[in-house]
Amino acid sequence: MEQIMSGIIQRDAHEREFHQALREVLDSVKPVIDRNPEYRKQAVLERIAEPERVVMFRVPWVDDQGQVRVNRGFRVEMSSVIGPYKGGLRFHPSVTLSIIKFLAFEQVFKNSLTTLAMGGGKGGSDFNPKGKSDGEVMRFCQSFMMELFRHIGPNTDVPAGDIGVGAREIGYLFGMYRKLRNEFTGVLTGKSLNWGGSLIRPEATGYGAVYFACEMLAVRGQTIEGTTCLVSGSGNVAQYAVEKILDLGGRVVTLSDSSGYIYDEEGIDAEKLAYVMHLKNVLRGRIHEYADKYPGAVYTETDPELDHNPLWAHRADCAFPCATQNEINEKDAANLIKGGVTLVCEGANMPSTPGAIDLYMEHGLMFGPGKAANAGGVAVSGLEMAQNSMRLHWPREEVDQRLRQIMKNIHKTCLDAAARYGKEEDYLDGANIAGFVKVVNAMLDQGVV
Ligand code: NDP
């Protein structure tokens, strides 16, 4: 395994995030490889670590001043052994091939855990939608799709949203795809309800993460009612995580964006959450405006010199990181533990660094890794695909019920897989092992291709 890892590091030395995600999975599946010598002979690790296809392309567009701008587009099609590639598009200036590869790699295991027939992929661009007009965002999305359309399709690769890609961007992308292909198909998920979207898709990732947390708590005879929760981010995942926590009687005291965070000792109630949704989704404002509107809240600006994020130092019972990768480092994890947190449930992808995860384990925290805990989003995307194929539209209660059941099943799958390898309540190893075994067995069934 060390040989495989060092070969990959040597070949793509700059892909730090991808190496981090790969290392985590390799560590978890070591006992599986030891028990199955066939896997080694079939080079399953080498095969699973190499994308089936990587597409990188130029995205030229014209800004409101008439200036031509150029961004870089990506689609990493990681694995299609259990279904068409499926995974979101991220538009953020920090996007690199390494980021998209790590996300695509994680997506393979996550999608496998949902039990739906979906392979793994991810894409995006270093385009920054923040501060751009609707016209600029539309022209960018159209140019992006002018290349992407030839690589995707309802039975080939079905993208969705992620950071910086919400309902507006999905609309512009879908419009251009429909024009280029002259067909109306479920090629993207996260669509608006009027033209093929599913109820509960916007809520699914946040709700799903909270359902997963409830399952973890239940194992220890606890509930989320009456707990105090720290939530980071203020986008799609964070907003609906807060909504569900409130629904179930929990209290949320923080939210953030990349500029800073707010701490509201009184708690973010339904009315304040409605304000955040309007602020972020309609006005496209910043979280510091929350503290102007609710003077009881304290806003703290991000300090790039600081080696930790003070958001994670507040007293609480549960933490839901819902912003971005590596947002909780070892120091933050130590602060969480000091502050009384006993459960960390990841709405974001890979928000905890390996050092932070080691600390959670050492201190016996309940830890829901992103690839299991945030799988609700892609699960409901899978349900959106099913509804599109059948040309049906399920009611809200039905989709929510299915989501809840899927999160319950994923939780049980992780617990059982971990227990088979003597790792009681280790959801990280459980998720990696269960996701891995299903995918590599499908690979072996389908031969060397
Ligand atoms: P949004 O774009 O809706 O929101 C992202 C939030 O995170 C914003 O508040 C944003 O602040 C903040 N953020 C982004 N980048 C950084 C950064 N570098 N540092 C600090 N804060 C940052 O995205 P989502 O809510 O959809 O996604 C959040 C996370 O959840 C991501 O890790 C994503 O991969 C993951 N996820 C999302 C799914 C979905 O269905 N949407 C499904 C599964 C996982 P700002 O506005 O300042 O950028």
Side-chain angles (χ1 to χ4, degrees):
M1 264 184 186
E2 278 315 311
Q3 231 175 0
I4 294 171
M5 195 68 221
S6 62
I8 288 171
I9 292 176
Q10 227 168 23
R11 189 159 58 168
D12 298 309
H14 55 288
E15 294 181 353
R16 237 170 5 96
E17 294 83 3
F18 176 58
H19 301 154
Q20 182 182 334
L22 183 63
R23 158 75 65 195
E24 180 203 288
V25 170
L26 293 191
D27 285 349
S28 290
V29 302
K30 187 170 180 313
V32 182
I33 301 288
D34 290 344
R35 273 193 209 174
N36 296 278
E38 182 66 10
Y39 285 170
R40 201 165 298 163
K41 187 161 164 230
Q42 293 285 343
V44 295
L45 293 177
E46 292 89 332
R47 285 157 74 185
I48 212 162
E50 188 67 18
E52 288 177 10
R53 187 175 301 104
V54 173
V55 189
M56 265 171 74
F57 50 99
R58 178 173 66 199
V59 190
W61 55 283
V62 182
D63 72 17
D64 286 346
Q65 283 68 47
Q67 175 68 45
V68 173
R69 309 264 212 114
V70 179
N71 285 95
R72 181 173 283 178
F74 303 90
R75 186 73 183 164
V76 173
E77 297 180 333
M78 203 75 190
S79 167
S80 59
V81 279
I82 58 173
Y85 308 106
K86 181 89 199 86
L89 297 171
R90 175 177 292 191
F91 292 169
H92 193 273
S94 65
V95 163
T96 60
L97 181 58
S98 172
I99 300 264
I100 300 297
K101 265 178 84 173
F102 114 65
L103 290 164
F105 184 70
E106 293 269 301
Q107 196 80 45
V108 174
F109 304 98
K110 182 187 309 191
N111 294 2
S112 152
L113 287 172
T114 65
T115 71
L116 304 176
M118 298 182 290
K122 199 88 186 187
S125 172
D126 57 0
F127 172 75
N128 185 2
K130 241 178 273 159
K132 304 287 190 304
S133 69
D134 284 352
E136 289 176 321
V137 171
M138 180 182 76
R139 291 193 291 280
F140 173 82
C141 288
Q142 291 177 336
S143 177
F144 186 85
M145 187 50 85
M146 267 191 257
E147 173 57 37
L148 188 68
F149 87 99
R150 66 188 94 248
H151 307 288
I152 63 176
N155 296 311
T156 311
D157 184 350
V158 184
D162 189 74
I163 292 179
V165 179
R168 173 182 61 171
E169 290 76 15
I170 292 290
Y172 294 146
L173 290 162
F174 185 82
M176 190 42 119
Y177 181 88
R178 187 175 52 74
K179 183 178 172 86
L180 289 167
R181 284 268 190 232
N182 192 26
E183 60 181 29
F184 192 111
T185 53
V187 69
L188 289 160
T189 58
K191 299 186 291 297
S192 180
L193 280 180
N194 294 332
W195 41 273
S198 173
L199 285 158
I200 300 286
R201 177 60 189 91
E203 293 90 337
T205 309
Y207 278 19
V210 178
Y211 291 152
F212 195 88
C214 291
E215 294 298 321
M216 290 197 290
L217 287 162
V219 170
R220 297 197 185 175
Q222 302 170 17
T223 66
I224 204 160
E225 195 179 349
T227 60
T228 297
C229 303
L230 306 176
V231 176
S232 65
S234 49
N236 172 266
V237 180
Q239 292 171 13
Y240 288 104
V242 174
E243 185 167 284
K244 188 48 74 180
I245 294 168
L246 297 185
D247 251 16
L248 299 176
R251 180 167 156 266
V252 179
V253 290
T254 58
L255 278 174
S256 69
D257 59 25
S258 49
S259 315
Y261 82 96
I262 54 107
Y263 175 73
D264 187 344
E265 176 68 41
E266 288 165 12
I268 299 164
D269 60 18
E271 183 233 305
K272 292 172 178 174
L273 177 62
Y275 167 74
V276 171
M277 289 183 171
H278 185 72
L279 174 72
K280 290 309 241 184
N281 309 343
V282 181
L283 305 177
R284 301 193 184 274
R286 309 298 297 159
I287 202 66
H288 70 79
E289 294 168 59
Y290 180 102
D292 303 336
K293 173 129 177 109
Y294 301 108
V298 179
Y299 174 70
T300 307
E301 206 169 301
T302 304
D303 177 356
E305 301 297 314
L306 217 55
D307 62 355
H308 67 284
N309 181 349
L311 184 158
W312 305 119
H314 292 281
R315 275 211 80 74
D317 308 293
C318 306
F320 291 86
C322 297
T324 194
Q325 63 276 351
N326 292 329
E327 55 171 314
I328 301 183
N329 63 23
E330 214 171 316
K331 194 143 188 193
D332 296 316
N335 284 339
L336 283 172
I337 293 160
K338 229 186 287 164
V341 165
T342 55
L343 175 145
V344 178
C345 191
E346 297 185 332
N349 283 311
M350 208 168 75
S352 309
T353 63
I357 296 173
D358 288 346
L359 271 188
Y360 305 154
M361 298 301 182
E362 236 171 75
H363 288 81
L365 266 63
M366 291 166 262
F367 171 54
K371 62 169 72 75
N374 71 34
V378 74
V380 175
S381 276
L383 301 180
E384 183 174 329
M385 288 164 73
Q387 292 170 81
N388 290 165
S389 312
M390 296 185 290
R391 302 200 190 283
L392 276 178
H393 199 62
W394 292 332
R396 191 178 166 84
E397 298 68 34
E398 179 167 355
V399 184
D400 195 24
Q401 184 57 36
R402 285 177 189 263
L403 168 65
R404 187 145 207 168
Q405 191 56 48
I406 289 171
M407 297 315 295
K408 230 178 179 13
N409 294 346
I410 294 175
H411 174 266
K412 183 167 185 317
T413 302
C414 294
L415 265 190
D416 291 350
R420 273 200 300 281
Y421 288 86
K423 303 280 191 84
E424 306 302 326
E425 269 191 76
D426 185 333
Y427 295 96
L428 179 64
D429 279 353
N432 284 332
I433 290 170
F436 176 82
V437 168
K438 180 172 169 190
V439 172
V440 299
N441 286 344
M443 260 165 66
L444 298 190
D445 290 344
Q446 295 174 29
V448 182
V449 288

